[in-house]
Amino acid sequence: MTTNTNATAMSPDDDAALLIARTTPDDDVLARLHRRLEDAAQEQGLLDVAYSEVDTPVGRLLLAATEVGLVRVAYEREGFEEVLTKLATGIGPRVLRAPARLEFAARQIEEYFAGRRTSFDVALDRRLSHGFRGLVQRHLPDIAYGHTETYREVAIHVGNPGAVRAVGSACATNPLPVIVPCHRVLRADGSLGGYVGGPDAKATLLQLERAA
Amino acid sequence: MKQPFEQAVSRHGGTVLRVCRAVLGPGPDADDAWSETFLAALREWPDLPEDTNVQAWLVRVAHRKAIDVTRSRARHAIPTGAVPDRASTIGVPGGTDPDVWSAVAALPERQRLAVAYHYLGGLAHTQTAELIGGTPAAVRRAAADGLQSLRRNPHLIGLAEEGHHR
């Protein structure tokens, strides 16, 4: 039998693996260095997109901002990795987790879900809202907290009564859900209709606003 | 590069810190080199070709930044005899072992750099040779010798035994 005769000899690969294991930095050290990088990048104007994540009653939300303002809010079901990749391609690849730029928006979202806030006062970067969809998305904040409109009413309000379906897709592709309240648009029969965050999230938001 | 930069930081941040610590010793200099590396990388990121091996690229940037830190340290004649106070990592699960770093620091420079860039940074011997000079064969030997002497180091005997019993 020749098996195991080398059991006491370490191969260079084993040694290297061991060395790597024993030199793996603590998470808190890397977290501290990351924060330092966030600060320096922000200071030197090197951040195309800063992002952060917040926990809410409708699940974890991704918040992303350019220097102009909040540019994207995403639900987890949209796939954060995918959303960030799209932002990197569409806006710029200098995308970094940097919660400082999102603190303001995150606090307002927290207040909203706590029932202490009925409108948002956050600078928005509307560059992901194009054409007719953009027109609809800009109208949505005019629907007051606790109120709803039907897809048809929205179509009328933006001056294109026949474009009910297009209003539907404008709501479905809203880059700033929750902040830009596409959840306040319902079907004519009062049923919820679709929602980027899923029907449960839409129901939760409407319930929250109705209770207030 | 069209990928979010955060991916580069989260995937390779640990590797870059290992390399900086092996080259400069663990402490503020290594931290500075890490920060300078990722800041420079962030600046160059949009112009980086899509097919770049990001880890190898970052290790090369780290090499440049470590040289910068070494030079500015020499210029400013900062005393290096006293080790600055640092939070202890002893007893922290997954914490790095300070003995490993002192063993790495005790290696002759070429062996230390070859170990840092090849074994810790993942560069091929040819790439390491481009950074630190010499032939790939000589660099390969230096890396192997460095690893050998780390194995023989009394600080690391316990580690090797731990490895046997996996």
Side-chain angles (χ1 to χ4, degrees):
Chain A
M1 293 289 281
T2 52
T3 48
N4 286 337
T5 51
N6 284 335
T8 54
M10 296 282 285
S11 79
D13 281 354
D14 288 339
D15 281 341
L18 207 56
L19 183 62
I20 284 177
R22 297 311 296 250
T23 54
T24 297
D26 292 347
D27 287 345
D28 59 343
V29 172
L30 289 173
R32 176 173 55 76
L33 288 171
H34 197 289
R35 281 195 296 278
R36 207 173 137 179
L37 176 65
E38 293 159 30
D39 292 346
Q42 171 74 33
E43 215 168 88
Q44 298 184 27
L46 289 174
L47 284 187
D48 296 327
V49 177
Y51 73 90
S52 172
E53 288 169 27
V54 291
D55 282 316
T56 75
V58 292
R60 210 160 170 72
L61 296 178
L62 177 85
L63 311 180
T66 64
E67 290 206 325
V68 176
L70 194 66
V71 73
R72 188 76 165 87
V73 174
Y75 281 94
E76 211 157 10
R77 71 207 294 263
E78 297 177 75
F80 289 168
E81 285 276 318
E82 207 180 313
V83 170
L84 290 170
T85 302
K86 273 189 192 148
L87 292 174
T89 316
I91 296 175
R94 289 171 177 143
V95 177
L96 200 63
R97 182 185 291 274
R101 193 187 275 179
L102 285 313
E103 242 168 53
F104 195 62
R107 193 174 328 121
Q108 293 203 6
I109 285 173
E110 193 190 316
E111 290 166 1
Y112 168 80
F113 281 109
R116 297 198 308 272
R117 170 173 288 279
T118 58
S119 68
F120 290 98
D121 178 23
V122 180
L124 300 182
D125 183 337
R126 295 282 205 165
R127 78 175 78 185
L128 300 178
S129 294
H130 307 288
F132 181 74
R133 289 178 178 184
L135 199 66
V136 172
Q137 289 157 7
R138 281 177 177 77
H139 163 73
L140 294 175
D142 296 340
I143 310 173
Y145 184 90
H147 292 71
T148 58
E149 284 184 6
T150 64
Y151 291 99
R152 181 168 302 282
E153 284 169 334
V154 173
I156 292 166
H157 282 135
V158 298
N160 198 340
V164 179
R165 271 175 184 281
V167 167
S169 58
C171 290
T173 58
N174 174 17
L176 293 159
V178 182
I179 302 268
V180 169
C182 56
H183 58 274
R184 292 177 196 155
V185 186
L186 306 178
R187 288 209 185 109
D189 64 5
S191 67
L192 287 185
Y195 185 58
V196 57
D200 290 349
K202 189 168 188 172
T204 303
L205 293 174
L206 290 170
Q207 220 160 23
L208 167 83
E209 298 193 2
R210 234 174 259 135
Chain B
M1 195 60 79
K2 293 219 164 65
Q3 291 304 304
F5 185 72
E6 180 67 33
Q7 282 183 9
V9 187
S10 56
R11 283 180 195 166
H12 307 298
T15 297
V16 170
L17 189 57
R18 272 191 199 98
V19 168
C20 293
R21 284 175 164 181
V23 174
L24 296 164
D29 283 346
D31 289 359
D32 287 349
W34 188 97
S35 296
E36 291 298 320
T37 296
F38 278 104
L39 205 53
L42 179 60
R43 196 170 280 118
E44 295 170 34
W45 188 247
D47 301 321
L48 196 69
E50 289 295 325
D51 59 355
T52 306
N53 175 337
V54 174
Q55 181 176 328
W57 174 70
L58 284 168
V59 169
R60 286 158 187 258
V61 177
H63 168 74
R64 290 201 315 259
K65 294 303 171 187
I67 289 175
D68 290 350
V69 168
T70 309
R71 280 190 190 139
S72 77
R73 189 165 57 182
R75 250 201 316 278
H76 298 298
I78 297 167
T80 53
V83 180
D85 287 340
R86 294 176 54 237
S88 167
T89 56
I90 297 167
V92 178
T96 57
D97 186 341
D99 288 347
V100 176
W101 290 122
S102 44
V104 170
L107 293 175
E109 189 182 25
R110 281 188 63 79
Q111 288 184 14
R112 187 165 48 84
L113 295 180
V115 167
Y117 296 136
H118 176 68
Y119 287 117
L120 297 178
L123 293 190
H125 293 300
T126 47
Q127 294 172 313
T128 307
E130 285 166 24
L131 295 188
I132 67 173
T135 64
V139 168
R140 176 193 297 274
R141 199 159 45 243
D145 290 350
L147 202 59
Q148 269 291 328
S149 95
L150 283 178
R151 261 183 85 184
R152 285 195 305 266
N153 190 294
H155 290 315
L156 300 185
I157 284 172
L159 303 183
E161 280 169 357
E162 182 184 301
H164 288 294
H165 299 144
R166 271 181 305 193

